[in-house]
Amino acid sequence: MSETPMNHAELRVQATGLRLHGLLAHWSEVMADADAAQRVTQWLRWEAEERGRRSLERRLRDAHIGQFKPIADFDWSWPTQVDRAAIEELMTLQFMADATNVVLVGGNGLGKTMFACNLGYQAVLAGRTALFVTAGQLLGDLAALDSDSTLRRRLRHYAAPDILLIDEVGYLSYSNRHADLLFELVSRRYQHKSTVVTTNKAFVDWGEVFPNAACVVSLVDRLMHRAEVVRIEGESYRAKEAQERLAARAKQRRALSGRSKP
């Protein structure tokens, strides 16, 4: 007998969360009718599911993650060095609980971007907000703004997501202004929200990325203070796939050529 009031109480909490004020105003009379209560239960379930679906779609769209390979399809045997246990632990998102940063270091074509995209995707599935952006896009966007008020709004935009994924730090060199802007953004997120960075350069070489920038040491210090660093070594997997495709096409052409001969 005590189960029904509990169910109704849970339903009322759900209706309150959905802001169905008209239904709440007539809650007692609706719940007094068993058929009406059953219909309301189904309607609330449908509404919650639809809103959840739309929320997920919106957060995925806003994250700008795009197409990526699921981590389940990653060939762990290809890199000569990769800490699989560390990557799989990161996928639990526990690092976000205390705003730990993640730095994925390695050469081209070893899965850094793929891992970052998977982290962002898992965060969105868990109900968090995420934003994926390349370092070039991020710093170009911020540096192009002349107005202080516009720049502050844009910095708030990049500081807002629960997890910010900055891809390809180290592939281009940037000015002192770019370095200052990245430092400002990292400082805003420091100890509040997690930032994921993929880079092809060790931190000791970031002076090459931001030549003569006075804030590089402080920038690295804030990123590293509370960070999980995962290093990946080996040959480019993209180059391997390209070679395999070329070999497959050459084999196919030879087979076609052989069949066409009299």
Side-chain angles (χ1 to χ4, degrees), residues 111-236:
K112 303 185 303 298
T113 299
M114 182 272 294
F115 289 137
C117 288
N118 274 272
L119 284 173
Y121 183 70
Q122 289 299 319
V124 172
L125 289 183
R128 314 297 289 275
T129 55
L131 178 60
F132 179 93
V133 63
T134 66
Q137 292 170 334
L138 168 68
L139 297 178
D141 181 22
L142 293 175
L145 302 174
D146 296 326
S147 165
D148 286 343
S149 60
T150 304
L151 177 58
R152 286 195 296 272
R153 284 197 300 271
R154 202 60 180 159
L155 282 168
R156 286 197 296 271
H157 166 74
Y158 287 116
D162 296 321
I163 182 170
L164 176 66
L165 308 117
I166 306 175
D167 195 30
E168 299 180 346
V169 176
Y171 290 85
L172 299 173
S173 294
Y174 299 97
S175 69
N176 291 356
R177 173 165 166 75
H178 290 110
D180 291 341
L181 289 168
L182 183 58
F183 175 72
E184 173 66 21
L185 176 59
V186 169
S187 296
R188 289 187 179 212
R189 298 182 59 83
Y190 178 58
Q191 294 188 324
H192 296 291
K193 296 176 180 179
S194 296
T195 302
V196 176
V197 172
T198 75
T199 178
N200 62 336
K201 294 186 181 296
F203 280 127
V204 295
D205 298 323
W206 274 35
E208 301 172 9
V209 184
F210 303 102
N212 305 315
C215 68
V216 171
V217 173
S218 297
L219 169 61
V220 170
D221 182 65
R222 276 170 170 71
L223 279 174
M224 284 291 294
H225 174 227
R226 191 181 285 175
E228 179 79 25
V229 180
V230 179
R231 292 178 174 82
I232 310 170
E233 297 179 3
E235 300 296 325
S236 170

